[in-house]
Amino acid sequence: MTAPRDFVRFAGSPIQLQLKEPLQGRRRFQGRLLGLDGQAGAERVRLEVAANAGARVGPRRGRKSGVESEPQGTLELPLAAIEKAHLVPQFDFRGAGRGAGRAPSGYEKAGSEERRG
């Protein structure tokens, strides 16, 4: 997902981005996609990053400090600098108990048909 239309289409969704070059000492960012601004060729992806989102406590490979400083607020990243972008799946387990053991609608018929030979 690196086409400009995808960043407009999925505005409001949780997303993970990886940049080609480090920005503020980081290449990976995670947050909520706010959209795309700017003109063709100079687009900027707007990303809302929560405080302590993905912050790690404890030593990390190649890091001297145990606590990683995490930017918060709204970031604007150049679209041309983005190497990879992935939507973060959101699961809703609140309705998991309802209808347990039943097949989703549309599958009842397929599983109950008898073979004729």
Side-chain angles (χ1 to χ4, degrees):
M1 173 177 127
T2 56
R5 68 177 178 270
D6 293 332
F7 291 98
V8 174
R9 178 179 173 196
F10 294 110
S13 300
I15 191 170
Q16 291 179 339
L17 300 173
Q18 181 173 329
L19 304 179
K20 295 174 185 174
E21 299 289 326
L23 177 70
Q24 301 173 358
R26 300 181 55 206
R27 286 186 61 200
R28 295 182 181 161
F29 295 89
Q30 181 172 340
R32 189 170 60 91
L33 179 62
L34 297 177
L36 187 69
D37 288 335
Q39 298 176 359
E43 297 99 340
R44 299 187 65 80
V45 175
R46 291 187 313 121
L47 182 69
E48 179 183 30
V49 180
N52 296 329
R56 297 176 185 261
V57 177
R60 244 181 111 185
R61 253 184 300 155
R63 305 267 183 189
K64 291 183 181 179
S65 172
V67 178
E68 185 175 315
S69 64
E70 186 76 22
Q72 59 182 338
T74 303
L75 297 175
E76 287 193 9
L77 306 169
L79 179 63
I82 296 175
E83 182 176 2
K84 296 178 186 177
H86 301 282
L87 294 175
V88 177
Q90 298 294 302
F91 300 101
D92 180 15
F93 293 109
R94 288 179 279 159
R98 289 182 281 161
R102 289 183 42 205
S105 63
Y107 288 100
E108 291 98 6
K109 294 179 183 177
S112 64
E113 291 181 12
E114 295 181 26
R115 290 189 180 184
R116 297 177 188 178

